[in-house]
Amino acid sequence: MLFRSLLSSLLLVLPALGASIPKRQPSTFYSGHDLSSLLLLEQTGSIYKDTAKQNATRPAEAILADGGMNSVRLRLWVNPQDYQSQPSDYNLAYTLNLASRFYKQGYRIYLDFHFSDTWADPTKQYIPSAWPTTLTPLASTLRSYVSSTLQSFHVAGLPLSLVSLGNEIRNGMLWPVGQVTPGSSDFTSLATLIKAARNGVNDAVSAGVEKPQVMIHIDNGWDVNLQTTWFGALTKTGLVSTADWDVFGFSFYPFYGSGATWTALLNSMNTLADKYGKPMMVVETDWPVICDGKYNPIPAFSEPQIPVSVEGQLEWTRNTTATVKKVKNGLGAGVFYWEPTWLNNTGLGSACEDAILFSQDFSNPKQTVGYSRQSVNLFK
């Protein structure tokens, strides 16, 4: 059975849970970081030092919490062992382990379903290798997977505050079945899959899981035409209603489009606030401290007046946060910085060399050290 591994994965992390589970945090603005890769770094010897505390070695999340973090985002892959040679990368057991660690410290947990055995983003959305490849059985499998996963978190005593049904699904998900081209595609198959995933959430809630807020996440949050066209096409199918998601999630990066300005972001969010009246968040963003063209051409920045520096990281993220908080009717709900602790992937997928919040010392081949930059305080 496809999901028989869920229970065994869960048993790997149950011993790590303490007898006392903290109370849920009150509903406040989400100031968060994606820390999905942190445990992988630690497992290979990375440590983190707090330059504000005489270079004391501390958990990275403690350093980031001193900088205002109250929430953690974690991605989930289906069966990464079917795609690559590192079977624990972001699978259920790995993610439950990290979620337990962070939840016990009082952080709200945001689960980012990728619905793939590997990365899912606007350029790729691969169906998991063990899943069906036609619409009806694929939708059924997706529904069962979402429900089983949420029940695994529930059995582990880990309530989820947010659940994203897919990651950056502008061009659809579970390709080619759910692939779309915004503005020119029929969204029926994609809507069928999103509805199945949402029904999976409903099934889990019916089984006793505490209901999370359900998010739809696409990139280019600043592009009002994309957002209005995309969500209009989704609901026009009649298969997904506005009641099927609770929160808008957007990626907002400064180097993938010159239009990604704060003015454009606010206009896009306010337009959606007027039409849908739902909370919205920037769930991926970052800013570089090094972007000198050593390995790639220097990209054009959407806010070019901001320096490429630690100070620029603070300015970009704080102004992005301020912009989200300006959304009409108090609907701006949060900002998440993407992977600030990833010491061996500092460019974070961009053309720049370094956009994380820790400087790196690779002098000891057995232990990479990350030293906190002043920008760890970007949510203060």
Side-chain angles (χ1 to χ4, degrees):
M1 183 178 178
L2 179 60
F3 306 111
R4 64 183 180 273
S5 63
L6 290 174
L7 181 58
S8 59
S9 297
L10 176 59
L11 291 175
L12 293 174
V13 299
L14 280 174
L17 288 170
S20 175
I21 297 296
K23 295 181 179 179
R24 298 289 301 279
Q25 289 199 8
S27 178
T28 57
F29 191 88
Y30 285 80
S31 299
H33 294 284
D34 190 314
L35 298 180
S36 300
S37 296
L38 179 57
L39 182 57
L40 292 176
L41 271 291
E42 294 170 339
Q43 289 171 342
T44 56
S46 294
I47 62 171
Y48 297 86
K49 290 187 176 290
D50 190 341
T51 57
K53 295 184 181 296
Q54 293 77 50
N55 289 336
T57 299
R58 302 180 68 204
E61 68 267 25
I63 299 171
L64 294 168
D66 286 351
M69 180 183 78
N70 62 24
S71 308
V72 176
R73 180 182 191 243
L74 299 172
R75 63 179 159 272
L76 178 65
W77 294 353
V78 178
N79 292 305
Q81 66 271 20
D82 291 346
Y83 186 82
Q84 57 183 29
S85 61
Q86 300 297 322
S88 66
D89 288 9
Y90 319 119
N91 68 6
L92 181 62
Y94 174 94
T95 305
L96 281 167
N97 191 0
L98 266 182
S100 170
R101 166 178 163 178
F102 296 136
Y103 180 70
K104 287 191 291 185
Q105 296 178 67
Y107 304 112
R108 291 176 292 182
I109 306 301
Y110 159 16
L111 183 65
D112 178 26
F113 280 110
H114 277 226
F115 299 143
S116 181
D117 294 331
T118 185
W119 296 102
D121 57 45
T123 67
K124 54 190 175 297
Q125 297 274 343
Y126 305 131
I127 294 176
S129 63
W131 287 18
T133 56
T134 56
L135 181 60
T136 298
L138 179 61
S140 177
T141 298
L142 176 61
R143 178 174 181 168
S144 297
Y145 169 73
V146 170
S147 177
S148 297
T149 300
L150 297 186
Q151 290 184 63
S152 293
F153 277 86
H154 175 69
V155 171
L158 300 172
L160 297 168
S161 296
L162 292 167
V163 168
S164 176
L165 302 180
N167 184 76
E168 293 189 325
I169 61 171
R170 165 171 45 110
N171 294 321
M173 63 186 189
L174 296 165
W175 292 356
V177 177
Q179 190 168 9
V180 297
T181 301
S184 62
S185 288
D186 182 349
F187 272 49
T188 300
S189 293
L190 175 60
T192 299
L193 294 170
I194 291 175
K195 185 67 174 183
R198 177 55 201 248
N199 283 338
V201 176
N202 296 342
D203 294 344
V205 172
S206 295
V209 173
E210 183 177 343
K211 182 187 177 299
Q213 293 289 289
V214 174
M215 176 187 291
I216 294 178
H217 169 209
I218 64 176
D219 63 323
N220 291 351
W222 54 270
D223 187 341
V224 65
N225 290 327
L226 169 65
Q227 307 306 329
T228 55
T229 298
W230 198 95
F231 285 98
L234 180 67
T235 55
K236 186 179 179 180
T237 65
L239 299 171
V240 174
S241 75
T242 57
D244 285 322
W245 79 96
D246 305 305
V247 184
F248 290 93
F250 304 116
S251 298
F252 180 62
Y253 288 106
F255 28 56
Y256 297 134
S258 60
T261 65
W262 296 309
T263 298
L265 177 65
L266 183 59
N267 177 56
S268 178
M269 287 184 152
N270 277 337
T271 300
L272 294 172
D274 284 337
K275 183 172 179 62
Y276 296 99
K278 293 179 182 291
M280 54 199 73
M281 304 182 189
V282 167
V283 296
E284 290 188 26
T285 194
D286 63 50
W287 184 268
V289 296
I290 303 173
C291 199
D292 57 16
K294 182 177 181 180
Y295 302 109
N296 300 290
I298 298 173
F301 291 95
S302 58
E303 297 283 1
Q305 75 280 7
I306 302 176
V308 174
S309 65
V310 170
E311 292 75 18
Q313 289 182 317
L314 289 165
E315 184 176 356
W316 168 261
T317 310
R318 287 173 175 172
N319 283 353
T320 298
T321 299
T323 300
V324 173
K325 288 182 175 181
K326 290 177 184 175
V327 175
K328 291 180 178 180
N329 302 317
L331 291 173
V335 172
F336 285 80
Y337 197 96
W338 198 68
E339 287 279 14
T341 65
W342 207 343
L343 300 178
N344 62 0
N345 185 27
T346 58
L348 300 180
S350 74
C352 297
E353 287 79 23
D354 189 344
I356 70 171
L357 305 185
F358 293 80
S359 62
Q360 312 92 47
D361 180 355
F362 297 107
S363 60
N364 181 348
K366 295 183 178 181
Q367 185 176 76
T368 301
V369 180
Y371 291 90
S372 61
R373 292 169 167 150
Q374 181 63 26
S375 46
V376 295
N377 296 309
L378 48 79
F379 289 123
K380 290 178 72 173

